[in-house]
Every structure is written in structure tokens, then in C-alpha cells.
Amino acid sequence: MAPHHQHHHHHAPATFAYGNQSNQIRLYIFCILLNLLFVGVEAGVGFWQDSLSLLSDAGHNLSDVFSLVLVLIAFQLARVHPHGHYTYGLKKSTILISLLNAILLLVAVGGIVVESIHKFNTPVEVNGTAISWTAGIGILINGLTALLLLRGSQADLNQKGAYLHMVADTLVSVGVVFSGILINLTGWNIVDPIVSLIIAVVILGSTWSLLTDSLRLIIDGTPEGVEPEAIEKIMTATDGVCSVHHLHIWAISTTDNALTAHVVVNELERMEQIKDLLKQQLHAAGIAHATLEFETAGSHCHDHECQNETC
């Protein structure tokens, strides 16, 4: 039986998905302070005018502040060096944080729905002008925050979550402005809880993908955007590779993907050259950490039920 060789591809600890780390930290701190200030203003006006739509939007904005804080924590945890019993460091905690963000948003949705139902039974007169002006400020703040977070939203699940929340909040604020205008024109105070329910649906929609993506990564499912069949085709198309089996792909963190595979080659002497080619192609396909075990054609793999076919 031909010898097996195992090779590991090591990377430096995860950093922010783009740009200078210090700039990123300052950006998130600025977004946190900006949104925290608005939450205070919106909640104050909501209590003053007894507006459920403003209070529910303020509650969701507060959850977005927590979301931004958790993103900062996630990146710091991802930078912890591997040690002791944590051979990948604490990178997996970034996935736990994205799941926590999704759960917090679902709790917020439940609270909004309960309060909306109560408001349907006991409508309260609200000041449509105050609601519209306050929510109008929210459009500017949420929109600015979403714009600032746009660039990093494609590189990391946590940043994607924060960006989607801010986009949803911008749309929600538009709905609240519409609610205030409609109340002023018609006097229909029931519009307030109706808009609150719409807000809940929007939040649920923006949260669902975050929840499902997080759950899939928690149980080591294949990360979004990575297709095992496509990865196998890339590997088998590499010069010198006969076939690939025992292919496994999972996420180490919200930014780093890993792969293990058995690679059957026709010439063991070319193993190092083939390995380098595979690592380059896998890295380009979004696999940062690859562990490859090489076998010759015709050898028997103890983990494989049949003999490897001849190239």
C-alpha cells in the first residue's frame, strides 16, 4: 500500500475582513454611538407620544446596537491565537455570536407582535407629526450606518447581519414616516399597530437568513456560497489528480472555511507540486485551510470501501 502524507495549510489569526483594523474599530464605535443616541431620542418621543411603532422601532434599533457590539467582540475572539485545547483558537465563537444576534432579533419580533395585538384591542391616540419627524431622522441615521457597513457585508456573516439589520431599519423608518402622515390625514390611530406588525415582518425576513446560515455553520454544514460538487470538480481537474474522496468542508469561523480530502494521484513523486496547485485553487475558491491526504492509484484506503481505481 502506498504511503499516506498529510499536509496542513496554516494562516495567521483572522482579522477584519477589509481595511485597517484600527479604522474598522473606530467605524464600529462611531456607528454604535450614533445609533445609541438615536435610540434614546426615538424611545423618548415614543413614550411621550405613546407610539408603539416608534417604541418598537427603538427596541429594534437597540438590538442593532447590541449587534454592532457583538460584531466587535466576534472579531476580537477570532484573533485569539490557537493554544492548549483550542487548536483553532476561538474562531468558532463568531458563529455563536451570529446565532445569538438572530435569536435576540426573534425575541424582539415576538415582543412587537404581542404589543401590537394589545394596541388593536385598546387603540391610543398618537401625534402623527412627532412620529414622522422622529422616524425621518431614523432614515438618515440608519441609512448612513448601512452605507458605512456595506463594504464589509460580503466578507463575513456577522458584518452581513449588521448591514442587513440597518437596511431593514431604514425601510422600517420609511414605514413609520408613512404611518405618521396617514394618521395626520385620516386620524386612524389603528395604523400605528398595523405598521408595528409590518415592522415585525420586515425584521423576521432580515433575520431568517442570518438564523439559518448560523445554524448550518454551527452543525458544520457547508458554508453559504461553497458547493462541494464544484470544489471536487476543481480538484479533479488539476493536472496529476485522478480522483478525490472523503471530501469534507466546514466553517472554522464566519470568515474562514476549512477542507479535508483524500486525493488520488498518478505519480507520488509529483505530490508536492500537485499539493501546491490544489492549495492555490482551493484558496481562490474560498477555502483558507486545507488538509490533504495523498494516495496512489490502485492503493487501498482503509477509510474507503473499495480500491482506488487506476488513473
Side-chain angles (χ1 to χ4, degrees):
M1 182 175 66
H4 289 193
H5 299 270
Q6 195 172 45
H7 298 270
H8 298 272
H9 194 44
H10 297 285
H11 283 264
T15 58
F16 284 99
Y18 68 96
N20 181 272
Q21 290 184 36
S22 297
N23 290 338
Q24 285 299 301
I25 291 173
R26 285 194 289 268
L27 171 62
Y28 272 85
I29 291 176
F30 172 76
C31 291
I32 288 168
L33 293 177
L34 182 64
N35 282 272
L36 195 57
L37 176 63
F38 177 64
V39 165
V41 173
E42 189 173 33
V45 176
F47 280 116
W48 175 40
Q49 296 296 329
D50 198 18
S51 168
L52 179 59
S53 59
L54 278 181
L55 289 175
S56 59
D57 192 36
H60 180 50
N61 281 323
L62 183 60
S63 72
D64 284 340
V65 172
F66 284 122
S67 174
L68 294 173
V69 171
L70 287 174
V71 171
L72 280 180
I73 295 173
F75 276 114
Q76 292 302 316
L77 290 174
R79 296 173 61 213
V80 174
H81 291 268
H83 66 282
H85 296 291
Y86 300 96
T87 55
Y88 275 125
L90 299 177
K91 292 183 178 182
K92 200 78 169 184
S93 61
T94 61
I95 301 174
L96 289 172
I97 285 177
S98 68
L99 179 61
L100 176 60
N101 260 324
I103 292 173
L104 288 175
L105 285 169
L106 290 177
V107 172
V109 168
I112 293 172
V113 170
V114 170
E115 287 300 317
S116 297
I117 294 173
H118 175 70
K119 281 280 187 176
F120 273 118
N121 296 328
T122 56
V124 177
E125 186 174 348
V126 294
N127 186 329
T129 302
I131 293 175
S132 295
W133 277 106
T134 306
I137 297 173
I139 293 174
L140 296 176
I141 292 178
N142 292 328
L144 174 62
T145 305
L147 186 62
L148 291 173
L149 300 179
L150 172 62
R151 188 179 174 188
S153 63
Q154 302 302 315
D156 171 45
L157 188 59
N158 277 308
Q159 291 194 68
K160 175 185 176 182
Y163 167 73
L164 288 176
H165 293 170
M166 301 316 302
V167 170
D169 279 351
T170 303
L171 297 176
V172 165
S173 294
V174 171
V176 174
V177 169
F178 173 76
S179 167
I181 293 173
L182 195 58
I183 289 172
N184 266 349
L185 293 176
T186 65
W188 298 342
N189 292 310
I190 199 171
V191 169
D192 191 44
I194 291 175
V195 169
S196 295
L197 287 176
I198 294 173
I199 289 174
V201 172
V202 171
I203 297 171
L204 183 62
S206 64
T207 303
W208 188 251
S209 63
L210 180 63
L211 177 66
T212 55
D213 287 346
S214 300
L215 287 173
R216 184 175 64 254
L217 297 187
I218 283 289
I219 59 175
D220 287 337
T222 304
E224 182 71 22
V226 178
E227 295 296 333
E229 294 81 6
I231 295 297
E232 185 175 352
K233 286 181 180 179
I234 290 173
M235 295 178 70
T236 53
T238 302
D239 182 38
V241 175
C242 298
S243 63
V244 175
H245 58 269
H246 286 305
L247 176 67
H248 302 285
I249 306 171
W250 73 98
I252 298 174
S253 71
T254 55
T255 56
D256 291 332
N257 299 325
L259 171 149
T260 60
H262 289 202
V263 182
V264 181
V265 297
N266 53 12
E267 299 176 67
L268 203 57
E269 295 77 13
R270 294 187 57 211
M271 183 186 66
E272 291 297 326
Q273 178 189 1
I274 295 171
K275 179 197 72 174
D276 290 340
L277 285 173
L278 286 172
K279 292 294 181 77
Q280 292 174 16
Q281 293 174 344
L282 289 172
H283 195 278
I287 310 295
H289 303 262
T291 301
L292 305 174
E293 186 170 316
F294 290 88
E295 303 164 1
T296 56
S299 67
H300 180 76
C301 173
H302 289 296
D303 295 327
H304 205 41
E305 292 183 355
C306 59
Q307 295 284 114
N308 293 322
E309 297 180 358
T310 303
C311 290

